[in-house]
Amino acid sequence: MTDPLAELIILLRPARVMGKSISGAGRWGVRYAPFGHPGFCVVTDGACLLQVDGADPLRLEAGDFVFLPATPGFVLSGFESVEPQQVDPAAIADQGHELRHGSIEGEPDVRMLGGYFVFDSPDTALLVALLPPVIHVRGEDRFGVLVRLVREEAMQTRSGRDLILTRLVEVLLIEALRAAPGDAAPAGLLRGLADERLALSIREMHRDPSRAWTVEQLAKAAALSRSAYFQRFTRAVGMPPMEYLLAWRMAIAKDILDRQDLVIEKVAERVGYSSASTFSTAFTRYVGRSPSGYARERRQVRSRVA
């Protein structure tokens, strides 16, 4: 069965996870400025408070996992009232593997692994468009096993530590997306997949993105009338079905142009366009650059990184 969430992660191509051990004790609070990478936090011991800009406050406890697709500004603190210190996440990214907030004496009140994902794909806007701004997972047995492994590995100094932590947190991300309560999520892919009828049509789009889909055909796959399907899909996913299909096709096209040396006609065919000119017009309108210009830009970026 086609798995849209797995396809989303594969398309984004997780390259590495940048993380460090964070602890807090006593009266402490820090405000992190908005950051450009999708961020995460795994609480391994104790508890603390998290206030993400624009979202309800969260009490985080041992075993919790939080994922922020856009990583807006947020406050992390203990439970005593305090004026939070300003923190620039970019400035502390290279400050070793451990970060302590509050009192430096004695045992901390909370320990966690926090950091961010670096994706090879430049299309991380997909995460922001299709996922809730805050994903918080608690009480999952499989998740608890992974968190314990993260805790044990984070406390090690053996060779291979960073690589193992990277792979564990990648698995945590996929498990978090699977376990997140989609029916209570804001409009987006998780909520769409939580609706059994809509999920059938979403999987069909992902299974065969090159097919000349119509709203009527997708409604039939969902066993709904055209009007009921259109309204239900738009309300759950946050965009009309054909707009979602366009976004997915363009994401696939960008991935192909970024990684494969194919002529435009072949790319057009892979994502459901009958001609290179029709595809080029749609791609340019959606992305803001022509397919050839986008591919050339990505080659230049890769050459600079190399």
Side-chain angles (χ1 to χ4, degrees):
M1 182 182 293
T2 303
D3 185 347
L5 284 178
E7 288 187 336
L8 175 63
I9 298 302
I10 291 169
L11 204 66
L12 290 169
R13 305 197 303 272
R16 62 188 186 279
V17 176
M18 307 299 290
K20 63 178 61 192
S21 299
I22 301 170
S23 59
R27 296 180 71 248
W28 67 278
V30 288
R31 176 171 183 81
Y32 283 76
F35 196 43
H37 296 287
F40 71 90
C41 172
V42 186
V43 182
T44 56
D45 297 278
C48 65
L49 292 175
L50 172 67
Q51 173 67 70
V52 178
D53 291 355
D56 294 333
L58 288 173
R59 176 189 172 94
L60 301 183
E61 300 175 353
D64 286 8
F65 179 85
V66 175
F67 178 59
L68 306 175
T71 313
F74 64 89
V75 173
L76 198 62
S77 70
F79 297 98
E80 297 184 54
S81 178
V82 63
E83 183 68 26
Q85 291 183 301
Q86 299 293 319
V87 172
D88 178 359
I92 65 170
D94 298 323
Q95 293 181 8
H97 289 299
E98 296 189 13
L99 186 63
R100 180 70 174 256
H101 298 303
S103 173
I104 61 173
E105 302 296 332
E107 284 293 307
D109 301 316
V110 64
R111 286 192 181 94
M112 65 193 80
L113 181 72
Y116 59 93
F117 292 89
V118 178
F119 296 101
D120 269 348
S121 168
D123 203 20
T124 53
L126 266 179
L127 286 172
V128 180
L130 298 178
L131 298 178
V134 180
I135 295 175
H136 176 213
V137 179
R138 169 182 292 167
E140 293 290 325
D141 290 341
R142 284 166 57 88
F143 215 77
V145 172
L146 288 168
V147 171
R148 285 195 294 274
L149 289 173
V150 168
R151 180 183 184 276
E152 291 170 5
E153 195 61 38
M155 298 175 69
Q156 300 288 339
T157 57
R158 294 184 295 177
S159 60
R161 169 188 181 273
D162 291 346
L163 178 61
I164 292 174
L165 281 175
T166 294
R167 296 295 176 257
L168 286 173
V169 176
E170 285 176 2
V171 175
L172 274 172
L173 172 58
I174 296 172
E175 287 288 343
L177 295 179
R178 291 168 62 179
D183 52 352
L189 182 58
L190 291 182
R191 187 168 162 190
L193 291 174
D195 184 317
E196 291 184 5
R197 297 280 187 90
L198 298 181
L200 292 171
S201 69
I202 293 172
R203 291 192 180 99
E204 283 296 297
M205 287 188 240
H206 281 250
R207 181 184 63 80
D208 191 4
S210 65
R211 180 174 172 179
W213 290 106
T214 65
V215 175
E216 288 79 6
Q217 291 170 333
L218 293 168
K220 184 177 180 180
L224 294 167
S225 70
R226 184 191 186 284
S227 59
Y229 172 74
F230 183 89
Q231 294 173 7
R232 190 158 157 177
F233 190 102
T234 304
R235 186 168 55 250
V237 181
M239 62 183 74
M242 300 312 288
E243 187 176 326
Y244 177 85
L245 178 60
L246 173 64
W248 185 245
R249 283 172 168 170
M250 292 297 113
I252 294 171
K254 285 191 280 186
D255 185 62
I256 295 171
L257 291 166
D258 189 22
R259 295 204 288 174
Q260 302 180 38
D261 188 18
L262 293 181
V263 295
I264 300 302
E265 287 81 4
K266 289 295 184 182
V267 181
E269 182 181 328
R270 292 270 292 273
V271 293
Y273 288 86
S274 58
S275 69
S277 60
T278 305
F279 165 68
S280 295
T281 300
F283 187 93
T284 302
R285 185 184 301 119
Y286 189 87
V287 178
R289 295 180 296 288
S290 68
S292 57
Y294 179 84
R296 184 167 55 251
E297 179 183 284
R298 292 300 304 158
R299 284 196 296 271
Q300 291 171 350
V301 169
R302 288 198 302 274
S303 64
R304 287 198 298 269
V305 173

